Amino acid sequence: MKKRFLIIVGVVIPIALVFGVYIGYSAIFEPNINPGVAPYDLYIDEQTTIDDLYEELLEDHVLLKPQAFYFLGKKKGLTKVRSGHYVITEGMSNNTLVNALKAGLQEPVKVVINGAADLNELAGELASQLLADSADLVRALNQPMEGWEGPLALGAYMPDTYEMYWNASPKSVAEKLYQNTIRFWSPDRVRQAQNLGLDPGEVCTLASIVMKESSKASDRPKVARLYLNRLKKGMKLQADPTVIFAKKRENPELEIRRVLKKDLEIDDPYNTYMHEGLPPGPICVPERQALLAVLEAPKHDYLFMCADPDNPGYHAFATNYAGHLFNQARYVAWLNQQKIFR
């Protein structure tokens, strides 16, 4: 009997030990990600604990054996998870995932900025795609950037598609956008601007007016050349968007769909009906394509333009004032027909 017991012990215990080792090994090193949800984007802020993380992964059915991940995380000291954006891929083991979270091995995110009316709106666009708070981003964006101080600040941050860490600091975000602007202004582009009689800040200012004047990419280069023609001849720009900008500086809540004759008399440095040349700075955050529309504006002789009621979003152009009055009359009649009086 004793011999039989020893035989059983000698066989069963090793088998049990081997089985236990196998279970332990599989819980740690074998793939534990549900292929149906992989790749899974995981966003973690500063307050996230392993319990919060466990609940999210459980709710979204990310793990095949959730408890094994939780116990391993606790065992390896994953009590507070580093903030960031992590991508959980098929084939990852509990050990790989826990180590990545402990080490903060996050993946960058794509941040798309399409344009903004001002730095507050730009900060809002960034905050909607990053961890940083909008107010903190506003403060970072308002820090003077060399060459783009004061009224030129809107030209310091070029709308584009960026790759950055989701938990990047506001200061580093502002710096990344600024460096992209610096790269855009290569020596060749600075020379292009000089050939137009402008510097980079003035190109940004004109590009912002062009953006506000026309929403159509194919219309903007033509609009840009018209303004360049007026500047070359010493004519006032007489750009309606600058009047709207000046009125909104006076009353930010004012909604303007139609510029009235009395609006043209507002005494503001941005009102290009009152003041010659370009205004002090951009009236919005100019996009890359708007900058190129100015730098690469095709030659033509037009000096006047008016919104074209037959082609919404586009302009009717004229080389002389008589032609402009004809186009203007058509547009005013359309506005009245649409009952747009403000």
Side-chain angles (χ1 to χ4, degrees):
M1 188 65 153
K2 186 176 180 181
K3 187 177 180 180
R4 182 181 297 174
F5 174 76
L6 290 173
I7 292 172
I8 293 173
V9 169
V11 173
V12 172
I13 289 180
I15 291 174
L17 287 172
V18 170
F19 182 72
V21 169
Y22 170 75
I23 293 297
Y25 179 89
S26 65
I28 297 172
F29 297 108
E30 285 193 355
N32 192 35
I33 307 304
N34 179 3
V37 300
Y40 179 85
D41 289 296
L42 178 65
Y43 295 89
I44 296 174
D45 61 30
E46 291 95 339
Q47 284 75 44
T48 302
T49 65
I50 189 171
D51 295 294
D52 300 324
L53 174 60
Y54 180 68
E55 281 185 29
E56 179 181 340
L57 298 180
L58 201 62
E59 185 178 332
D60 290 348
H61 308 288
V62 178
L63 302 173
L64 298 174
K65 297 175 182 177
Q67 294 83 1
F69 165 78
Y70 182 79
F71 289 132
L72 181 63
K74 284 280 192 179
K75 184 75 174 172
K76 299 190 82 165
L78 188 66
T79 53
K80 194 172 186 310
V81 189
R82 291 194 183 188
S83 66
H85 163 247
Y86 300 86
V87 179
I88 300 177
T89 57
E90 184 179 351
M92 287 181 80
S93 68
N94 287 326
N95 192 59
T96 303
L97 180 54
V98 168
N99 287 344
L101 295 171
K102 277 197 71 177
L105 300 178
Q106 59 172 310
E107 297 288 336
V109 294
K110 284 195 182 301
V111 177
V112 181
I113 306 298
N114 294 315
D118 52 35
L119 295 185
N120 288 336
E121 188 175 312
L122 178 59
E125 285 193 47
L126 289 165
S128 69
Q129 301 175 71
L130 297 168
L131 178 60
D133 178 72
S134 178
D136 292 335
L137 284 163
V138 168
R139 282 190 286 273
L141 293 170
N142 273 294
Q143 292 300 308
M145 295 294 185
E146 186 178 354
W148 302 94
E149 299 89 353
L152 293 177
L154 292 179
Y157 308 107
M158 183 181 297
D160 209 336
T161 298
Y162 293 88
E163 193 173 82
M164 59 183 78
Y165 288 118
W166 182 68
N167 62 340
S169 69
K171 182 179 179 181
S172 68
V173 171
E175 183 66 23
K176 192 170 188 73
L177 270 63
Y178 170 64
Q179 289 302 325
N180 190 34
T181 300
I182 296 302
R183 283 192 297 274
F184 175 85
W185 285 108
S186 64
D188 284 345
R189 288 200 173 115
V190 171
R191 279 191 290 273
Q192 275 185 290
Q194 290 171 341
N195 290 338
L196 297 172
L198 305 174
D199 61 34
E202 290 169 328
V203 171
C204 283
T205 299
L206 184 53
S208 72
I209 297 172
V210 170
M211 273 183 61
K212 287 295 185 179
E213 182 70 58
S214 178
S215 61
K216 303 296 184 182
S218 59
D219 194 47
R220 286 175 175 174
K222 202 171 179 180
V223 170
R225 176 54 67 180
L226 183 145
Y227 284 135
L228 290 168
N229 289 345
R230 293 181 74 91
L231 286 171
K232 189 174 182 179
K233 287 182 175 292
M235 300 172 67
K236 290 177 181 175
L237 287 187
Q238 296 184 329
D240 286 0
T242 66
V243 176
I244 295 171
F245 183 82
K247 292 291 289 182
K248 283 184 171 290
R249 271 158 51 94
E250 189 179 69
N251 180 5
E253 303 303 317
L254 185 64
E255 185 176 341
I256 302 175
R257 297 179 64 197
R258 179 174 182 173
V259 174
L260 306 178
K261 189 172 183 180
K262 64 180 182 179
D263 297 332
L264 308 183
E265 298 170 1
I266 182 173
D267 188 12
D268 186 284
Y270 284 86
N271 179 4
T272 56
Y273 278 85
M274 289 277 289
H275 300 279
E276 293 182 2
L278 290 162
I283 60 174
C284 67
V285 179
E287 300 168 4
R288 176 187 292 267
Q289 289 307 313
L291 296 170
L292 293 176
V294 174
L295 291 173
E296 301 171 0
K299 300 274 189 181
H300 64 62
D301 296 323
Y302 296 123
L303 293 171
F304 303 91
M305 65 182 167
C306 185
D308 187 348
D310 296 329
N311 295 290
Y314 291 90
H315 288 79
F317 295 87
T319 56
N320 56 58
Y321 192 58
H324 174 62
L325 288 177
F326 175 79
N327 292 332
Q328 188 180 58
R330 288 174 59 240
Y331 181 59
V332 169
W334 180 84
L335 288 173
N336 293 335
Q337 186 180 31
Q338 301 298 315
K339 302 190 183 318
I340 300 173
F341 303 112
R342 188 27 155 171

